[in-house]
Each structure stands twice: as C-alpha cells, then as structure tokens.
Amino acid sequence: MARAKKAAAKKTAARKPAAKKAAAPKAPALPKSVSNAEGKVKLQQKAVDQAQKKVAQVEGKLGKHRTKLETENGKLTKLRADTAAKRDKAKAKPTAAAKRAVDTARGKMNTLRLKLQDLRGETKVMRAEIQAAKKVVAREVKKLRTAERNLKAKLRDHERKLAKKAKADQKKAEQKAKAAAKRAAAKAKRVAKKSAAPKRKTAAKKAATRKAPAKKKAAAKKAAPKKAATRKAPAKKAARKRAPAKKKTS
C-alpha cells in the first residue's frame, strides 16, 4: 500500500506543470550601425593581435638566430687561433704535414666565414621582417583606434536617440496621466452632480408642497371678492334704470 501511495504521489507530481521561470528583461536591441561598428572593432582587434603575434614570432626566431650566430662566431675565433698556431708551427718547421694542416685550417675557417655571412644576411632579413611587422602593427592599431572612435560616436548617437525617445515617452506618459486625471475629475464632477440632483429635486418638491397650500389660500382669497362683485352687479344696473324715472317727475 505504501509503495502504491508513493507511486501515485510521484505520478501526480510528474503531472503538475513545472513552474515557469520569470524571463529576464531583455536589453533593447542595438541598431545595425552600432553592431556593424562593434564587428569592425573586433575584426580590427583580431588583425592587431595577429600582427603582434607575427612580430613576436619573428623576434623569437631572431633571438634563436643570434644565439646560433654567437656560437658560430665562437667557433670562428677558435679556428683563427688554431690556424695562427698551425701557421706559426709551419714557419718554425716547414714540413709538408704542417703546410697541409694550415691549409685545412684555412679551408675550415673560410667555410665558417661564409656560413657566418649567410647567418648575418638572414639576421638582416629577420630585422627587416620585424620592422615591416611593426609597421603593420602600427597601421592596424591606427585602424583599430579609428574603428573604436567610430563605435563610440555610434554609441553616443544611439544613447542620444534613446534619451530622446525616453523623454518623448515620459512626455506622452505625463500627457496621458494629465488626460486621465482630467477625465477622472470630470467623472467625479458628473457623479457629484448626479448625486446632488435628486437632493435638489426632493428639496424643490418639498418647497412646492409647502407653497401649494399658501397658493391655494391666496387663490381662494382672490376668487372671493370676484364672486361678490358679480353678485352686486345687478343692483347697479337697477339704479341706472331708475334714474330716468326721477327726471319725468320734475
């Protein structure tokens, strides 16, 4: 039973959807001009690194060549000393063997001299290569500085545009907020007006109900004299009719 419960719990846990991670806010994408400028800077930096690497390689090669040249120079100095000793010996005892020894020493010395000349020529070539590589490095560094300046200018323009856009967005937001506040105030005014209107109506109705009896009384008072006047009117007519009769008697 316990195993079955555990298995069921695992199944339910597996069915539950995994909690989604909150996506990190992405930075605004850079414009193409800025990305192109960044690419140029990277490429130029790569070119500078390659040129510097070449200079380092040639300098390392030249260092090895110098050590080789120094060893050959040491050999030549030894051969010179050996040849001079053999020459002195041949002068002291001019035998054929001594002459042959001097000739062989001279031959060795000449071959070593030629070798040293070649090594010195190679050294000159290497130095020229180093100078050329250094010039390339200077040129590439100059290009890199130009690319970096262009990138900085593009970034400044981009930042200026972003600031301008942010300012415009802020202005729009402020305008929207003002409009919303205005609408809310108008709505509140309308609501207040509507809520005040029934009170006014009720007050007017109460006032009308209060004034109605007074009006009725006033109307009744006005109506009463009129009725009396209408009743007395025939008597006046009779008086008028009697007047001619008096004239006849005189």
Side-chain angles (χ1 to χ4, degrees):
M1 288 293 286
R3 284 180 185 176
K5 282 181 181 178
K6 281 181 183 178
K10 281 181 183 178
K11 281 181 182 178
T12 51
R15 281 174 196 163
K16 283 180 183 178
K20 289 182 180 179
K21 290 181 180 178
K26 288 183 180 179
L30 290 169
K32 201 171 182 181
S33 58
V34 176
S35 57
N36 287 340
E38 281 181 349
K40 281 180 183 178
V41 168
K42 284 177 184 176
L43 283 170
Q44 201 56 41
Q45 186 64 52
K46 202 173 181 181
V48 169
D49 292 340
Q50 283 177 353
Q52 286 175 348
K53 195 176 179 182
K54 193 175 181 181
V55 169
Q57 283 175 353
V58 178
E59 281 179 347
K61 201 175 176 182
L62 181 64
K64 287 178 183 178
H65 197 71
R66 276 176 181 166
T67 54
K68 193 176 180 181
L69 192 65
E70 284 171 2
T71 53
E72 294 298 325
N73 272 325
K75 285 179 184 178
L76 184 63
T77 50
K78 280 180 183 178
L79 272 173
R80 276 176 182 165
D82 191 26
T83 306
K86 283 177 181 178
R87 197 186 296 120
D88 291 338
K89 194 176 180 181
K91 279 180 183 178
K93 289 181 181 180
T95 56
K99 284 180 181 179
R100 280 198 300 274
V102 170
D103 291 336
T104 52
R106 277 179 181 170
K108 282 180 181 179
M109 194 169 65
N110 288 331
T111 52
L112 195 58
R113 275 178 183 168
L114 291 170
K115 193 177 180 180
L116 279 167
Q117 280 179 0
D118 292 338
L119 287 171
R120 286 189 187 110
E122 285 175 8
T123 305
K124 284 180 182 178
V125 170
M126 284 179 188
R127 281 176 181 164
E129 281 180 6
I130 288 167
Q131 290 297 321
K134 281 182 178 177
K135 281 180 182 177
V136 170
V137 168
R139 189 166 62 246
E140 295 299 330
V141 166
K142 198 175 179 182
K143 285 181 183 177
L144 177 63
R145 296 288 173 268
T146 308
E148 284 175 349
R149 279 198 300 274
N150 289 337
L151 176 61
K152 282 177 183 176
K154 299 281 183 189
L155 282 170
R156 277 198 299 273
D157 289 339
H158 179 56
E159 284 170 2
R160 203 178 293 119
K161 283 177 184 176
L162 283 176
K164 199 174 179 182
K165 193 180 178 184
K167 199 174 181 181
D169 290 341
Q170 190 179 357
K171 198 173 181 181
K172 279 182 184 177
E174 284 175 0
Q175 285 175 354
K176 280 183 181 178
K178 279 181 184 177
K182 204 172 181 181
R183 284 197 297 272
K187 194 176 180 182
K189 200 173 180 181
R190 283 198 302 273
V191 170
K193 200 173 181 181
K194 281 180 183 177
S195 61
K199 289 179 182 178
R200 284 177 189 169
K201 283 180 182 178
T202 51
K205 280 180 183 178
K206 283 178 182 178
T209 50
R210 283 174 191 169
K211 286 176 183 178
K215 281 181 180 178
K216 282 179 183 178
K217 285 177 183 179
K221 282 178 183 179
K222 283 179 183 178
K226 281 181 183 178
K227 285 178 183 178
T230 50
R231 284 173 189 171
K232 288 176 183 179
K236 284 181 181 179
K237 283 179 183 178
R240 282 175 190 172
K241 283 178 183 179
R242 285 172 192 169
K246 283 180 183 180
K247 283 178 183 179
K248 283 178 184 179
T249 52
S250 62

